[in-house]
Amino acid sequence: EPEVTQTPSHQVTQMGQEVILRCVPISNHLYFYWYRQILGQKVEFLVSFYNNEISEKSEIFDDQFSVERPDGSNFTLKIRSTKLEDSAMYFCASSEAGRGNYGYTFGSGTRLTVV
Amino acid sequence: KNEVEQSPQNLTAQEGEFITINCSYSVGISALHWLQQHPGGGIVSLFMLSSGKKKHGRLIATINIQEKHSSLHITASHPRDSAVYICAVPGSNYKLTFGKGTLLTVNP
Protein backbone atom coordinates (compact mmCIF):
# COMPACT_ATOMS: atom_id res chain seq x y z
CA GLU A 1 0.00 0.00 0.00
CA PRO A 2 1.40 3.45 -0.89
CA GLU A 3 2.90 5.40 2.00
CA VAL A 4 3.73 8.96 2.87
CA THR A 5 7.36 9.11 4.00
CA GLN A 6 8.71 11.77 6.35
CA THR A 7 12.29 12.52 7.30
CA PRO A 8 13.84 12.95 9.76
CA SER A 9 11.76 11.24 12.43
CA HIS A 10 13.34 13.43 15.12
CA GLN A 11 15.14 16.75 14.89
CA VAL A 12 16.64 18.86 17.62
CA THR A 13 17.61 22.39 16.70
CA GLN A 14 18.76 25.55 18.40
CA MET A 15 16.39 28.50 18.62
CA GLY A 16 16.85 30.80 15.66
CA GLN A 17 18.11 28.07 13.34
CA GLU A 18 16.43 27.08 10.09
CA VAL A 19 14.97 23.61 9.72
CA ILE A 20 13.63 21.75 6.72
CA LEU A 21 11.20 18.92 7.22
CA ARG A 22 10.89 16.56 4.29
CA CYS A 23 8.02 14.50 2.97
CA VAL A 24 7.44 12.25 0.01
CA PRO A 25 3.66 12.17 -0.49
CA ILE A 26 1.78 9.68 -2.62
CA SER A 27 2.60 10.76 -6.13
CA ASN A 28 -0.81 10.57 -7.76
CA HIS A 29 -2.58 12.37 -4.93
CA LEU A 30 -3.78 15.88 -5.65
CA TYR A 31 -3.60 17.63 -2.28
CA PHE A 32 -0.66 17.79 0.10
CA TYR A 33 -0.76 19.09 3.65
CA TRP A 34 1.29 19.93 6.68
CA TYR A 35 -0.24 19.64 10.13
CA ARG A 36 1.32 20.04 13.53
CA GLN A 37 0.56 18.76 17.01
CA ILE A 38 1.98 20.46 20.04
CA LEU A 39 2.45 17.99 22.89
CA GLY A 40 -0.84 17.35 24.65
CA GLN A 41 -2.90 19.33 22.14
CA LYS A 42 -4.97 18.47 19.11
CA VAL A 43 -3.66 18.29 15.57
CA GLU A 44 -3.79 21.66 13.78
CA PHE A 45 -3.80 22.50 10.10
CA LEU A 46 -0.85 24.51 8.78
CA VAL A 47 -1.05 24.58 5.00
CA SER A 48 -2.53 22.85 1.96
CA PHE A 49 -0.83 22.61 -1.41
CA TYR A 50 -2.59 21.95 -4.70
CA ASN A 51 -1.51 22.28 -8.30
CA ASN A 52 1.98 23.36 -7.23
CA GLU A 53 0.89 26.24 -5.09
CA ILE A 54 -0.46 26.98 -1.63
CA SER A 55 -4.24 26.63 -1.71
CA GLU A 56 -4.85 27.58 1.92
CA LYS A 57 -2.85 28.41 5.01
CA SER A 58 -3.75 28.87 8.63
CA GLU A 59 -2.96 31.87 10.80
CA ILE A 60 -0.17 29.76 12.32
CA PHE A 61 1.57 29.65 8.93
CA ASP A 62 3.24 33.04 9.11
CA ASP A 63 6.21 34.42 7.19
CA GLN A 64 8.68 32.16 8.94
CA PHE A 65 7.09 29.12 7.29
CA SER A 66 7.34 28.11 3.65
CA VAL A 67 6.57 25.03 1.59
CA GLU A 68 8.00 23.74 -1.66
CA ARG A 69 7.55 20.85 -4.01
CA PRO A 70 10.82 21.28 -5.85
CA ASP A 71 11.00 18.15 -7.96
CA GLY A 72 7.51 16.69 -8.22
CA SER A 73 8.37 14.17 -5.54
CA ASN A 74 9.49 15.84 -2.33
CA PHE A 75 7.29 18.22 -0.35
CA THR A 76 9.17 20.29 2.19
CA LEU A 77 8.26 22.52 5.11
CA LYS A 78 10.87 25.13 6.01
CA ILE A 79 10.88 27.05 9.26
CA ARG A 80 13.29 29.95 8.83
CA SER A 81 14.06 31.00 12.40
CA THR A 82 12.78 28.48 14.88
CA LYS A 83 11.23 29.48 18.17
CA LEU A 84 10.72 27.41 21.30
CA GLU A 85 6.99 27.29 20.58
CA ASP A 86 7.65 25.58 17.22
CA SER A 87 8.46 22.41 19.16
CA ALA A 88 5.82 19.94 18.01
CA MET A 89 5.14 16.87 15.94
CA TYR A 90 4.78 17.81 12.28
CA PHE A 91 2.73 15.57 10.02
CA CYS A 92 2.69 15.52 6.27
CA ALA A 93 -0.39 14.11 4.55
CA SER A 94 -1.74 13.63 1.07
CA SER A 95 -5.23 13.13 -0.27
CA GLU A 96 -6.98 12.20 -3.44
CA ALA A 97 -9.73 14.65 -2.54
CA GLY A 98 -10.91 16.33 -5.67
CA ARG A 99 -11.46 13.02 -7.39
CA GLY A 100 -14.41 12.26 -5.13
CA ASN A 101 -12.25 10.23 -2.77
CA TYR A 102 -11.68 11.97 0.52
CA GLY A 103 -9.24 9.40 1.82
CA TYR A 104 -6.15 10.67 3.61
CA THR A 105 -2.73 9.15 4.15
CA PHE A 106 -0.50 10.51 6.89
CA GLY A 107 3.23 10.28 7.31
CA SER A 108 4.63 9.00 10.58
CA GLY A 109 5.63 12.52 11.62
CA THR A 110 8.75 14.49 12.48
CA ARG A 111 9.22 15.38 16.13
CA LEU A 112 10.86 18.81 16.22
CA THR A 113 12.44 19.98 19.44
CA VAL A 114 13.69 23.57 19.61
CA VAL A 115 16.14 24.23 22.45
CA LYS B 1 -15.43 26.97 11.06
CA ASN B 2 -16.39 23.47 12.07
CA GLU B 3 -16.25 22.64 15.75
CA VAL B 4 -15.50 18.99 16.47
CA GLU B 5 -16.29 17.60 19.90
CA GLN B 6 -15.40 14.14 21.13
CA SER B 7 -16.49 12.26 24.20
CA PRO B 8 -15.29 10.89 26.44
CA GLN B 9 -11.81 12.45 26.66
CA ASN B 10 -10.50 9.44 28.55
CA LEU B 11 -11.84 5.90 28.64
CA THR B 12 -10.55 2.94 30.61
CA ALA B 13 -11.95 -0.49 29.88
CA GLN B 14 -11.33 -4.10 30.74
CA GLU B 15 -10.29 -6.48 28.02
CA GLY B 16 -13.34 -7.82 26.21
CA GLU B 17 -15.56 -4.82 26.85
CA PHE B 18 -17.54 -3.04 24.14
CA ILE B 19 -16.25 0.49 23.58
CA THR B 20 -18.07 3.51 22.16
CA ILE B 21 -16.47 6.85 21.32
CA ASN B 22 -18.64 9.72 20.14
CA CYS B 23 -18.00 12.65 17.83
CA SER B 24 -20.21 15.60 16.98
CA TYR B 25 -19.56 18.47 14.64
CA SER B 26 -21.22 21.79 13.99
CA VAL B 27 -21.21 22.23 10.21
CA GLY B 28 -22.54 19.80 7.59
CA ILE B 29 -19.85 17.72 5.91
CA SER B 30 -19.34 15.30 3.04
CA ALA B 31 -17.31 12.75 4.98
CA LEU B 32 -15.82 12.10 8.39
CA HIS B 33 -12.54 10.45 9.33
CA TRP B 34 -11.72 8.25 12.29
CA LEU B 35 -8.01 8.10 13.03
CA GLN B 36 -5.82 6.24 15.50
CA GLN B 37 -2.72 7.67 17.14
CA HIS B 38 -0.37 5.48 19.16
CA PRO B 39 2.19 6.68 21.73
CA GLY B 40 5.13 7.89 19.69
CA GLY B 41 2.69 9.80 17.59
CA GLY B 42 2.04 8.28 14.16
CA ILE B 43 -1.49 8.74 12.77
CA VAL B 44 -3.29 5.91 11.00
CA SER B 45 -6.53 6.32 9.10
CA LEU B 46 -9.17 3.85 10.31
CA PHE B 47 -12.29 4.91 8.45
CA MET B 48 -13.58 7.53 6.13
CA LEU B 49 -17.35 7.48 5.91
CA SER B 50 -20.05 9.67 4.47
CA SER B 51 -23.17 7.71 5.43
CA GLY B 52 -24.42 4.70 7.32
CA LYS B 53 -21.96 2.26 8.78
CA LYS B 54 -18.56 0.74 8.03
CA LYS B 55 -16.93 -2.27 9.64
CA HIS B 56 -13.32 -3.36 9.71
CA GLY B 57 -12.56 -6.30 11.90
CA ARG B 58 -13.65 -5.42 15.45
CA LEU B 59 -14.09 -1.74 14.61
CA ILE B 60 -17.40 -0.28 13.52
CA ALA B 61 -18.03 3.35 12.58
CA THR B 62 -21.44 4.91 12.14
CA ILE B 63 -22.51 8.35 11.06
CA ASN B 64 -25.78 10.27 11.16
CA ILE B 65 -25.39 13.18 8.76
CA GLN B 66 -28.66 14.83 9.79
CA GLU B 67 -27.72 14.83 13.48
CA LYS B 68 -24.06 15.68 12.75
CA HIS B 69 -22.88 12.80 14.89
CA SER B 70 -20.62 9.79 14.47
CA SER B 71 -19.63 6.93 16.73
CA LEU B 72 -16.71 4.53 16.75
CA HIS B 73 -17.30 1.16 18.37
CA ILE B 74 -14.76 -1.46 19.30
CA THR B 75 -16.07 -4.94 20.03
CA ALA B 76 -14.19 -7.38 22.26
CA SER B 77 -11.60 -4.75 23.17
CA HIS B 78 -7.99 -5.81 23.61
CA PRO B 79 -4.99 -4.10 25.27
CA ARG B 80 -3.47 -3.54 21.82
CA ASP B 81 -6.45 -1.26 21.07
CA SER B 82 -5.05 1.21 23.61
CA ALA B 83 -4.42 4.44 21.70
CA VAL B 84 -5.85 7.88 21.06
CA TYR B 85 -8.84 7.83 18.72
CA ILE B 86 -9.50 11.02 16.82
CA CYS B 87 -12.34 12.13 14.60
CA ALA B 88 -11.72 14.73 11.93
CA VAL B 89 -13.90 16.48 9.38
CA PRO B 90 -12.93 18.05 6.05
CA GLY B 91 -13.43 21.70 5.23
CA SER B 92 -12.24 24.02 2.50
CA ASN B 93 -9.50 22.49 0.33
CA TYR B 94 -10.37 19.24 2.11
CA LYS B 95 -8.21 20.23 5.05
CA LEU B 96 -9.13 18.38 8.24
CA THR B 97 -10.35 19.87 11.50
CA PHE B 98 -9.52 17.48 14.31
CA GLY B 99 -11.21 16.68 17.57
CA LYS B 100 -9.11 16.58 20.74
CA GLY B 101 -9.11 12.81 20.73
CA THR B 102 -10.18 10.09 23.15
CA LEU B 103 -7.46 8.31 25.10
CA LEU B 104 -8.48 4.66 25.35
CA THR B 105 -6.74 2.34 27.79
CA VAL B 106 -7.72 -1.32 27.73
CA ASN B 107 -6.49 -3.29 30.72
CA PRO B 108 -5.86 -7.04 30.56
Side-chain angles (χ1 to χ4, degrees):
Chain A
E1 188 170 330
E3 290 184 342
V4 174
T5 305
Q6 284 188 247
T7 55
S9 55
H10 292 88
Q11 177 136 11
V12 180
T13 189
Q14 296 241 321
M15 192 169 55
Q17 294 296 304
E18 174 183 286
V19 294
I20 298 175
L21 310 184
R22 302 183 191 279
C23 170
V24 179
I26 297 173
S27 58
N28 64 347
H29 281 188
L30 296 178
Y31 279 85
F32 310 117
Y33 305 86
W34 284 100
Y35 293 87
R36 80 171 186 190
Q37 185 179 34
I38 294 171
L39 188 62
Q41 297 187 21
K42 65 180 179 179
V43 180
E44 305 172 285
F45 166 74
L46 289 178
V47 65
S48 61
F49 196 83
Y50 172 74
N51 203 25
N52 287 318
E53 61 183 18
I54 290 174
S55 52
E56 188 171 345
K57 57 186 180 181
S58 73
E59 58 193 27
I60 302 168
F61 194 89
D62 61 21
D63 290 345
Q64 70 162 342
F65 290 92
S66 62
V67 289
E68 276 191 335
R69 193 155 188 254
D71 56 10
S73 173
N74 293 286
F75 180 50
T76 62
L77 174 69
K78 182 191 292 186
I79 310 174
R80 285 190 186 81
S81 177
T82 50
K83 304 171 190 167
L84 294 177
E85 54 264 37
D86 294 327
S87 295
M89 187 76 129
Y90 289 81
F91 293 102
C92 175
S94 68
S95 172
E96 281 188 277
R99 293 198 181 105
N101 177 354
Y102 299 100
Y104 253 75
T105 304
F106 287 88
S108 53
T110 293
R111 185 170 298 283
L112 176 66
T113 303
V114 182
V115 297
Chain B
K1 182 182 172 182
N2 218 334
E3 301 292 333
V4 181
E5 298 290 335
Q6 283 187 240
S7 63
Q9 284 192 336
N10 293 281
L11 182 55
T12 300
Q14 288 300 120
E15 184 173 355
E17 284 186 5
F18 181 83
I19 303 293
T20 296
I21 299 169
N22 296 299
C23 175
S24 60
Y25 50 91
S26 57
V27 178
I29 55 169
S30 51
L32 180 142
H33 297 256
W34 280 103
L35 310 163
Q36 182 189 57
Q37 186 174 33
H38 278 281
I43 294 174
V44 174
S45 181
L46 296 175
F47 293 103
M48 191 270 299
L49 68 165
S50 54
S51 65
K53 180 164 91 171
K54 282 192 175 180
K55 186 174 188 289
H56 184 247
R58 294 180 294 105
L59 272 59
I60 303 166
T62 63
I63 190 167
N64 185 319
I65 293 290
Q66 287 74 29
E67 294 189 3
K68 299 187 179 64
H69 181 269
S70 177
S71 294
L72 177 69
H73 307 284
I74 305 175
T75 61
S77 58
H78 190 276
R80 65 174 175 266
D81 297 326
S82 298
V84 176
Y85 292 85
I86 304 170
C87 74
V89 299
S92 57
N93 291 292
Y94 310 102
K95 71 177 188 290
L96 295 181
T97 299
F98 291 75
K100 290 183 180 177
T102 295
L103 175 61
L104 172 65
T105 304
V106 182
N107 294 317

